[in-house]
Amino acid sequence: MNLQSGCPTANPPVVFRRENGGRTVLFNSDIGKSHGLDPVSPFFWKMLDGRYDAASILGAMREECEGCIPDTAPEHLRHFLADLEKRGLIAVEC
Amino acid sequence: MRVPFSPRKIDIDITSRCNLRCSYCYFFSSDGDTGVDLPLESWLQFFEECTRAAVLEVCLAGGEPLIRRDFRQVIEGVVRNRMRFSVLSNGTLLDNETAAFLKSTRRCNSFQVSIDGPGPESHDRCRGDGSFEKALRGLQAALRHGLPATVRLTIHRHNLDALDEAARLLLEEVGLHSFSTNVASYSGLCRQNSSEVELSVEEYSRAMVRLEALERKYPGRISAQAGPQASLRMWRKMEKALADGRESLPDCGFLRSCGGVFATMAVRSDGTMVPCTQLNHIALGEINRDPLMEIWQNHPELQRLRERRDMPLERFDHCRGCRYLRTCRGGCPAMAYNVIGDENRPSPDACYRDFLAAGGRLPA
């Protein structure tokens, strides 16, 4: 799977949930395990519907933040997607 | 304490029917015993709302959930909506086919069967003739198909002296990893049959002795969230705190025994949302009519129950001056309601001082 050019999709059994104090988790209902997210990742997660590749997600983030995204954002996104793929929480459609 | 965006879990009585009439059943004759079962379509619609609210699990109970002819479709609805499930059952209707189906969903967190003793003499006494054999058969079907089966043993007058044999049966013969205990308590049908089934203080003390011995024999394999075993754990902590010269324990001195309303909600079989299956007199709204998230976040009755944890025990006449005041959490709100008609008071059944005054003793 190519995370750079592919369009990641959230796997169907995965539920995005807000817990106490705004903490967010992804819950894989097939195995009953939760995976905690950092404060930035929910923005990425909402775009994982198979229509956006990594570049478009970063572009959307840049737009949301009026151009002020940290230099580390591409690396952050790459790590995030690789981690989710390893955990079976996403697949790449194209 | 902060409240999550939505309940993590919803306890649902999917039916008010049951093939048994256990003499201490908390459900029958309670406010949850509506005699109305919603049709499948209503539950399926509600499950869709649960998914939108990111509810992660439902616990299906009743009544006896397996009595519904459309039980499979109910489960399929849960699975389709990305939730996991637990089932609380008397076990008598679980056959191989259903067990295999439940296992195949990969979403079952637990399938709880009620077994009250090592044989028909202790089990059937309160549950009805023939129920032991059927429940055991159901449990074995669950285990055979690899379901995460658990057992709840409810302690009452007629199985108190059979606890050792029950533990041997469940942990050695049947091969369960663990089981949990509870006690017949003053709710539902037990209110009518209290003198027949509820433990006296002396019997409660004896149950604690037996359970402590069993915990030593089977370490970590017998648990309890209520009843003699749970009381013993709490009351020992209270005694130890005082013996160590500590006046208080963390999270004590207030009505803080129950955190349920911070994570869980419940629905009666007629579709009425309630805070808990044990507090089913507090109607919060109707499923598929009133928005779940709105109820969860803003209903004044839920807020009132959540604020319960900020009520200091010294506010209550009964507690004032008690040496255990700052090491006590006041017990279950539902039991307080059942016994004295007010969930916002300490529950008399959890009062260690009263237990001692009535001649109760912790094991030596």
Side-chain angles (χ1 to χ4, degrees):
Chain A
M1 160 167 135
N2 187 343
L3 287 172
Q4 291 305 309
S5 59
C7 299
T9 310
N11 277 336
V14 180
V15 179
F16 173 85
R17 182 178 158 80
R18 283 186 197 286
E19 296 287 8
N20 297 10
R23 192 171 62 87
T24 52
V25 298
L26 298 178
F27 178 76
N28 185 340
S29 56
D30 271 350
I31 58 171
K33 282 193 174 166
S34 292
H35 171 58
L37 298 180
D38 63 37
V40 180
S41 298
F43 180 88
F44 297 149
W45 175 258
K46 284 177 193 159
M47 299 192 71
L48 304 186
D49 61 3
R51 291 184 298 157
Y52 305 101
D53 61 11
S56 344
I57 295 171
L58 282 171
M61 191 182 199
R62 202 168 283 120
E63 199 171 312
E64 176 82 10
C65 302
E66 295 173 348
C68 300
I69 64 168
D71 294 344
T72 53
E75 186 61 9
H76 186 109
L77 177 60
R78 197 180 65 75
H79 271 299
F80 175 66
L81 295 176
D83 187 39
L84 294 193
E85 188 202 11
K86 194 175 75 185
R87 293 172 190 276
L89 298 171
I90 59 167
V92 171
E93 297 245 312
C94 52
Chain B
M1 197 180 212
R2 284 180 169 170
V3 182
F5 206 56
S6 61
R8 282 185 74 82
K9 184 177 132 199
I10 300 189
D11 296 332
I12 303 178
D13 286 342
I14 53 168
T15 180
S16 60
R17 291 174 295 137
C18 185
N19 57 325
L20 304 181
R21 274 298 179 282
C22 307
S23 52
Y24 50 78
C25 178
Y26 75 85
F27 176 80
F28 286 106
S29 87
S30 77
D31 288 290
D33 179 13
T34 60
V36 175
D37 284 12
L38 288 187
L40 175 66
E41 297 69 36
S42 300
W43 291 121
L44 297 181
Q45 187 185 340
F46 179 59
F47 294 157
E48 288 175 11
E49 186 178 11
C50 290
T51 305
R52 291 194 296 276
V55 173
L56 304 182
E57 181 187 353
V58 291
C59 178
L60 304 176
E64 168 53 44
L66 270 70
I67 209 167
R68 283 191 71 120
R69 286 174 188 272
D70 53 12
F71 178 70
R72 275 190 183 213
Q73 287 100 305
V74 172
I75 294 291
E76 283 163 355
V78 171
V79 170
R80 197 163 50 244
N81 284 287
R82 304 188 299 175
M83 294 184 286
R84 295 182 68 81
F85 63 89
S86 311
V87 181
L88 306 185
S89 167
N90 61 40
T92 61
L93 302 177
L94 184 67
D95 55 21
N96 279 315
E97 205 183 328
T98 309
F101 162 72
L102 292 174
K103 175 66 180 172
S104 73
T105 65
R106 301 189 302 162
R107 298 283 181 84
C108 182
N109 278 342
S110 71
F111 188 94
Q112 180 183 291
V113 175
S114 300
I115 303 263
D116 286 352
E121 312 76 45
S122 45
H123 180 96
D124 291 1
R125 177 74 183 254
C126 294
R127 292 184 167 270
D129 289 345
S131 58
F132 175 78
E133 294 301 334
K134 289 178 190 164
L136 191 61
R137 216 177 301 141
L139 174 63
Q140 285 164 335
L143 291 168
R144 195 177 305 121
H145 290 277
L147 277 180
T150 60
V151 161
R152 167 64 56 82
L153 186 152
T154 301
I155 302 170
H156 50 75
R157 271 200 174 159
H158 308 290
N159 66 3
L160 176 57
D161 295 318
L163 293 179
D164 292 25
E165 272 303 292
R168 191 196 58 73
L169 170 79
L170 296 171
L171 300 179
E172 297 182 30
E173 210 169 302
V174 174
L176 281 179
H177 172 266
S178 57
F179 72 93
S180 62
T181 67
N182 198 344
V183 70
S185 49
Y186 194 72
S187 57
L189 290 179
C190 187
R191 294 165 72 112
Q192 296 162 25
N193 303 313
S194 175
S195 60
E196 167 81 8
V197 293
E198 270 199 286
L199 300 184
S200 65
V201 167
E202 185 270 330
E203 288 164 332
Y204 205 88
S205 302
R206 269 170 52 208
M208 291 198 288
V209 172
R210 290 311 329 143
L211 289 163
E212 189 168 61
L214 286 169
E215 276 187 272
R216 274 198 298 271
K217 185 173 179 183
Y218 302 105
R221 299 180 68 187
I222 306 175
S223 62
Q225 292 190 325
Q229 203 181 349
S231 300
L232 175 58
R233 195 170 53 227
M234 185 68 199
W235 293 344
R236 271 219 197 284
K237 263 192 211 169
M238 292 160 73
E239 285 291 9
K240 186 171 185 318
L242 292 187
D244 292 348
R246 281 181 292 158
E247 276 192 5
S248 62
L249 283 172
D251 254 349
C252 292
F254 294 84
L255 290 177
R256 289 191 178 173
S257 286
C258 177
V261 282
F262 291 90
T264 308
M265 244 178 73
V267 184
R268 300 191 318 207
S269 65
D270 64 353
T272 303
M273 290 183 265
V274 291
C276 162
T277 53
Q278 309 283 324
L279 288 171
N280 45 32
H281 62 290
I282 303 176
L284 303 172
E286 300 283 324
I287 64 165
N288 305 330
R289 186 196 74 186
D290 303 310
L292 171 63
M293 297 283 277
E294 172 63 24
I295 298 277
W296 173 257
Q297 291 175 3
N298 299 318
H299 198 286
E301 284 294 316
L302 272 182
Q303 305 295 8
R304 184 175 67 85
L305 286 166
R306 288 171 183 147
E307 286 162 12
R308 185 179 185 272
R309 70 188 319 278
D310 296 324
M311 287 187 189
L313 294 177
E314 59 201 1
R315 172 186 294 190
F316 306 104
D317 290 344
H318 187 73
C319 300
R320 220 167 286 141
C322 176
R323 66 193 297 250
Y324 302 106
L325 184 83
R326 297 187 197 293
T327 58
C328 178
R329 292 187 183 132
C332 166
M335 283 310 297
Y337 173 75
N338 286 331
V339 179
I340 54 176
D342 185 352
E343 58 276 350
N344 272 339
R345 297 185 69 81
S347 172
D349 80 313
C351 180
Y352 181 40
R353 186 180 58 174
D354 284 357
F355 171 76
L356 294 175
R361 292 289 171 265
L362 299 188

Short mmCIF file of all heavy atoms in Angstrom, two decimals, chain B residues 288-318:
data_model
loop_
_atom_site.label_atom_id
_atom_site.label_comp_id
_atom_site.label_asym_id
_atom_site.label_seq_id
_atom_site.Cartn_x
_atom_site.Cartn_y
_atom_site.Cartn_z
N ASN B 288 -35.99 6.96 19.76
CA ASN B 288 -36.49 7.29 18.42
C ASN B 288 -37.45 8.48 18.42
O ASN B 288 -38.01 8.82 17.38
CB ASN B 288 -37.19 6.08 17.75
CG ASN B 288 -36.30 4.86 17.71
OD1 ASN B 288 -35.08 4.98 17.63
ND2 ASN B 288 -36.89 3.69 17.79
N ARG B 289 -37.65 9.07 19.58
CA ARG B 289 -38.43 10.31 19.64
C ARG B 289 -37.58 11.42 20.25
O ARG B 289 -37.46 12.51 19.71
CB ARG B 289 -39.68 10.09 20.51
CG ARG B 289 -40.64 11.28 20.52
CD ARG B 289 -41.64 11.20 21.66
NE ARG B 289 -41.04 11.49 22.96
CZ ARG B 289 -41.67 11.37 24.12
NH1 ARG B 289 -42.92 10.94 24.15
NH2 ARG B 289 -41.05 11.67 25.25
N ASP B 290 -36.93 11.11 21.37
CA ASP B 290 -36.06 12.10 22.03
C ASP B 290 -34.60 11.78 21.71
O ASP B 290 -34.18 10.63 21.82
CB ASP B 290 -36.28 12.04 23.55
CG ASP B 290 -37.74 12.29 23.90
OD1 ASP B 290 -38.29 13.27 23.40
OD2 ASP B 290 -38.33 11.47 24.63
N PRO B 291 -33.82 12.79 21.32
CA PRO B 291 -32.44 12.53 20.90
C PRO B 291 -31.57 12.02 22.06
O PRO B 291 -31.53 12.63 23.13
CB PRO B 291 -31.94 13.90 20.42
CG PRO B 291 -33.14 14.75 20.30
CD PRO B 291 -34.19 14.20 21.19
N LEU B 292 -30.91 10.92 21.81
CA LEU B 292 -30.06 10.28 22.82
C LEU B 292 -29.01 11.25 23.37
O LEU B 292 -28.82 11.36 24.58
CB LEU B 292 -29.37 9.07 22.18
CG LEU B 292 -28.28 8.37 22.98
CD1 LEU B 292 -28.83 7.78 24.26
CD2 LEU B 292 -27.62 7.27 22.14
N MET B 293 -28.33 11.95 22.47
CA MET B 293 -27.24 12.84 22.90
C MET B 293 -27.77 13.98 23.76
O MET B 293 -27.13 14.40 24.72
CB MET B 293 -26.52 13.42 21.69
CG MET B 293 -25.85 12.38 20.86
SD MET B 293 -24.32 11.84 21.63
CE MET B 293 -23.23 13.12 21.06
N GLU B 294 -28.94 14.49 23.39
CA GLU B 294 -29.54 15.60 24.15
C GLU B 294 -29.87 15.11 25.57
O GLU B 294 -29.59 15.81 26.56
CB GLU B 294 -30.80 16.08 23.41
CG GLU B 294 -31.65 17.08 24.15
CD GLU B 294 -30.93 18.40 24.41
OE1 GLU B 294 -29.98 18.71 23.68
OE2 GLU B 294 -31.32 19.09 25.39
N ILE B 295 -30.46 13.94 25.66
CA ILE B 295 -30.80 13.37 26.96
C ILE B 295 -29.52 13.18 27.78
O ILE B 295 -29.44 13.56 28.95
CB ILE B 295 -31.49 12.00 26.78
CG1 ILE B 295 -32.79 12.15 26.01
CG2 ILE B 295 -31.68 11.30 28.12
CD1 ILE B 295 -33.98 12.55 26.81
N TRP B 296 -28.52 12.56 27.16
CA TRP B 296 -27.28 12.24 27.87
C TRP B 296 -26.58 13.50 28.39
O TRP B 296 -26.10 13.53 29.52
CB TRP B 296 -26.35 11.47 26.93
CG TRP B 296 -24.99 11.23 27.49
CD1 TRP B 296 -23.83 11.89 27.17
CD2 TRP B 296 -24.62 10.27 28.50
NE1 TRP B 296 -22.78 11.41 27.90
CE2 TRP B 296 -23.23 10.41 28.72
CE3 TRP B 296 -25.33 9.31 29.22
CZ2 TRP B 296 -22.53 9.63 29.65
CZ3 TRP B 296 -24.63 8.53 30.14
CH2 TRP B 296 -23.26 8.70 30.35
N GLN B 297 -26.55 14.50 27.57
CA GLN B 297 -25.77 15.69 27.95
C GLN B 297 -26.54 16.65 28.84
O GLN B 297 -25.94 17.34 29.66
CB GLN B 297 -25.29 16.42 26.70
CG GLN B 297 -24.24 15.63 25.93
CD GLN B 297 -23.84 16.30 24.63
OE1 GLN B 297 -24.31 17.39 24.30
NE2 GLN B 297 -23.00 15.64 23.87
N ASN B 298 -27.86 16.70 28.68
CA ASN B 298 -28.57 17.80 29.34
C ASN B 298 -29.76 17.43 30.22
O ASN B 298 -30.36 18.32 30.82
CB ASN B 298 -29.09 18.78 28.26
CG ASN B 298 -27.95 19.37 27.47
OD1 ASN B 298 -26.92 19.75 28.03
ND2 ASN B 298 -28.10 19.43 26.16
N HIS B 299 -30.13 16.17 30.30
CA HIS B 299 -31.34 15.89 31.07
C HIS B 299 -31.12 16.19 32.56
O HIS B 299 -30.15 15.72 33.16
CB HIS B 299 -31.76 14.43 30.90
CG HIS B 299 -33.19 14.20 31.29
ND1 HIS B 299 -33.59 14.19 32.61
CD2 HIS B 299 -34.31 14.01 30.55
CE1 HIS B 299 -34.90 14.00 32.66
NE2 HIS B 299 -35.36 13.89 31.42
N PRO B 300 -32.02 16.99 33.15
CA PRO B 300 -31.81 17.40 34.55
C PRO B 300 -31.73 16.23 35.54
O PRO B 300 -31.01 16.32 36.53
CB PRO B 300 -33.02 18.29 34.86
CG PRO B 300 -33.89 18.26 33.68
CD PRO B 300 -33.18 17.62 32.54
N GLU B 301 -32.45 15.14 35.25
CA GLU B 301 -32.40 13.99 36.17
C GLU B 301 -31.02 13.33 36.14
O GLU B 301 -30.52 12.88 37.17
CB GLU B 301 -33.48 12.97 35.81
CG GLU B 301 -34.87 13.38 36.23
CD GLU B 301 -35.02 13.42 37.76
OE1 GLU B 301 -34.54 12.51 38.42
OE2 GLU B 301 -35.60 14.40 38.25
N LEU B 302 -30.43 13.27 34.96
CA LEU B 302 -29.08 12.69 34.87
C LEU B 302 -28.08 13.62 35.56
O LEU B 302 -27.17 13.16 36.25
CB LEU B 302 -28.68 12.48 33.41
CG LEU B 302 -29.07 11.17 32.76
CD1 LEU B 302 -28.55 11.10 31.34
CD2 LEU B 302 -28.54 9.99 33.56
N GLN B 303 -28.28 14.92 35.36
CA GLN B 303 -27.37 15.88 36.02
C GLN B 303 -27.49 15.72 37.53
O GLN B 303 -26.49 15.74 38.26
CB GLN B 303 -27.71 17.33 35.64
CG GLN B 303 -27.74 17.61 34.15
CD GLN B 303 -26.38 17.45 33.48
OE1 GLN B 303 -25.43 16.99 34.09
NE2 GLN B 303 -26.30 17.77 32.22
N ARG B 304 -28.72 15.55 38.00
CA ARG B 304 -28.95 15.40 39.44
C ARG B 304 -28.22 14.16 39.97
O ARG B 304 -27.57 14.20 41.01
CB ARG B 304 -30.46 15.28 39.69
CG ARG B 304 -30.88 15.24 41.14
CD ARG B 304 -32.40 15.25 41.26
NE ARG B 304 -33.02 14.04 40.73
CZ ARG B 304 -33.18 12.91 41.43
NH1 ARG B 304 -32.76 12.84 42.67
NH2 ARG B 304 -33.76 11.86 40.88
N LEU B 305 -28.30 13.08 39.22
CA LEU B 305 -27.62 11.85 39.67
C LEU B 305 -26.10 12.01 39.61
O LEU B 305 -25.37 11.45 40.42
CB LEU B 305 -28.06 10.66 38.81
CG LEU B 305 -29.46 10.16 39.11
CD1 LEU B 305 -29.95 9.21 38.01
CD2 LEU B 305 -29.51 9.43 40.46
N ARG B 306 -25.63 12.77 38.62
CA ARG B 306 -24.18 12.98 38.53
C ARG B 306 -23.68 13.87 39.68
O ARG B 306 -22.55 13.71 40.14
CB ARG B 306 -23.82 13.61 37.19
CG ARG B 306 -23.96 12.63 36.04
CD ARG B 306 -23.83 13.29 34.69
NE ARG B 306 -24.06 12.31 33.63
CZ ARG B 306 -24.62 12.59 32.46
NH1 ARG B 306 -25.02 13.83 32.18
NH2 ARG B 306 -24.78 11.64 31.56
N GLU B 307 -24.55 14.77 40.10
CA GLU B 307 -24.15 15.65 41.21
C GLU B 307 -24.18 14.93 42.55
O GLU B 307 -23.67 15.44 43.55
CB GLU B 307 -25.07 16.88 41.25
CG GLU B 307 -24.75 17.86 40.13
CD GLU B 307 -25.88 18.84 39.86
OE1 GLU B 307 -26.81 18.90 40.69
OE2 GLU B 307 -25.82 19.52 38.82
N ARG B 308 -24.77 13.76 42.56
CA ARG B 308 -24.84 12.96 43.78
C ARG B 308 -23.45 12.76 44.40
O ARG B 308 -23.29 12.73 45.60
CB ARG B 308 -25.46 11.62 43.40
CG ARG B 308 -25.74 10.67 44.51
CD ARG B 308 -26.38 9.41 43.94
NE ARG B 308 -26.78 8.50 45.00
CZ ARG B 308 -25.99 7.59 45.54
NH1 ARG B 308 -24.76 7.45 45.10
NH2 ARG B 308 -26.43 6.82 46.51
N ARG B 309 -22.48 12.64 43.53
CA ARG B 309 -21.12 12.36 44.04
C ARG B 309 -20.53 13.54 44.83
O ARG B 309 -19.50 13.41 45.48
CB ARG B 309 -20.20 11.93 42.90
CG ARG B 309 -19.84 13.02 41.92
CD ARG B 309 -19.10 12.46 40.74
NE ARG B 309 -18.10 11.46 41.06
CZ ARG B 309 -16.87 11.69 41.49
NH1 ARG B 309 -16.46 12.93 41.65
NH2 ARG B 309 -16.03 10.71 41.74
N ASP B 310 -21.16 14.70 44.75
CA ASP B 310 -20.67 15.85 45.52
C ASP B 310 -21.42 16.02 46.84
O ASP B 310 -21.21 16.99 47.56
CB ASP B 310 -20.80 17.13 44.69
CG ASP B 310 -19.91 17.07 43.46
OD1 ASP B 310 -18.80 16.50 43.57
OD2 ASP B 310 -20.33 17.57 42.39
N MET B 311 -22.32 15.08 47.14
CA MET B 311 -23.08 15.19 48.40
C MET B 311 -22.27 14.56 49.53
O MET B 311 -22.03 13.35 49.53
CB MET B 311 -24.40 14.44 48.29
CG MET B 311 -25.42 15.13 47.45
SD MET B 311 -26.98 14.22 47.60
CE MET B 311 -27.91 15.05 46.33
N PRO B 312 -21.87 15.37 50.51
CA PRO B 312 -21.11 14.81 51.63
C PRO B 312 -22.00 13.95 52.53
O PRO B 312 -23.18 14.30 52.75
CB PRO B 312 -20.60 16.05 52.37
CG PRO B 312 -21.50 17.15 51.95
CD PRO B 312 -22.09 16.82 50.62
N LEU B 313 -21.46 12.87 53.02
CA LEU B 313 -22.26 11.98 53.87
C LEU B 313 -22.68 12.67 55.16
O LEU B 313 -23.70 12.32 55.75
CB LEU B 313 -21.47 10.71 54.19
CG LEU B 313 -21.18 9.80 52.98
CD1 LEU B 313 -20.33 8.61 53.39
CD2 LEU B 313 -22.47 9.30 52.35
N GLU B 314 -21.89 13.65 55.58
CA GLU B 314 -22.24 14.30 56.85
C GLU B 314 -23.55 15.10 56.75
O GLU B 314 -24.11 15.51 57.76
CB GLU B 314 -21.10 15.19 57.35
CG GLU B 314 -20.72 16.28 56.41
CD GLU B 314 -19.29 16.78 56.71
OE1 GLU B 314 -18.64 16.24 57.61
OE2 GLU B 314 -18.87 17.70 56.01
N ARG B 315 -24.02 15.27 55.53
CA ARG B 315 -25.31 15.94 55.34
C ARG B 315 -26.46 15.08 55.90
O ARG B 315 -27.54 15.59 56.20
CB ARG B 315 -25.51 16.18 53.84
CG ARG B 315 -26.87 16.70 53.47
CD ARG B 315 -27.07 16.77 51.99
NE ARG B 315 -26.19 17.76 51.37
CZ ARG B 315 -26.32 18.15 50.11
NH1 ARG B 315 -27.28 17.65 49.35
NH2 ARG B 315 -25.51 19.03 49.60
N PHE B 316 -26.25 13.78 56.00
CA PHE B 316 -27.35 12.88 56.37
C PHE B 316 -27.32 12.55 57.86
O PHE B 316 -26.27 12.14 58.39
CB PHE B 316 -27.27 11.60 55.53
CG PHE B 316 -27.24 11.89 54.06
CD1 PHE B 316 -26.06 11.79 53.34
CD2 PHE B 316 -28.38 12.32 53.40
CE1 PHE B 316 -26.01 12.09 51.99
CE2 PHE B 316 -28.36 12.63 52.05
CZ PHE B 316 -27.17 12.51 51.34
N ASP B 317 -28.47 12.72 58.49
CA ASP B 317 -28.56 12.48 59.94
C ASP B 317 -27.98 11.13 60.33
O ASP B 317 -27.29 11.00 61.32
CB ASP B 317 -30.04 12.52 60.40
CG ASP B 317 -30.60 13.94 60.31
OD1 ASP B 317 -29.76 14.87 60.20
OD2 ASP B 317 -31.83 14.10 60.32
N HIS B 318 -28.32 10.13 59.52
CA HIS B 318 -27.91 8.78 59.86
C HIS B 318 -26.39 8.63 59.90
O HIS B 318 -25.85 7.81 60.65
CB HIS B 318 -28.50 7.79 58.85
CG HIS B 318 -28.28 6.36 59.23
ND1 HIS B 318 -28.96 5.75 60.26
CD2 HIS B 318 -27.42 5.43 58.75
CE1 HIS B 318 -28.55 4.51 60.39
NE2 HIS B 318 -27.61 4.28 59.48
#
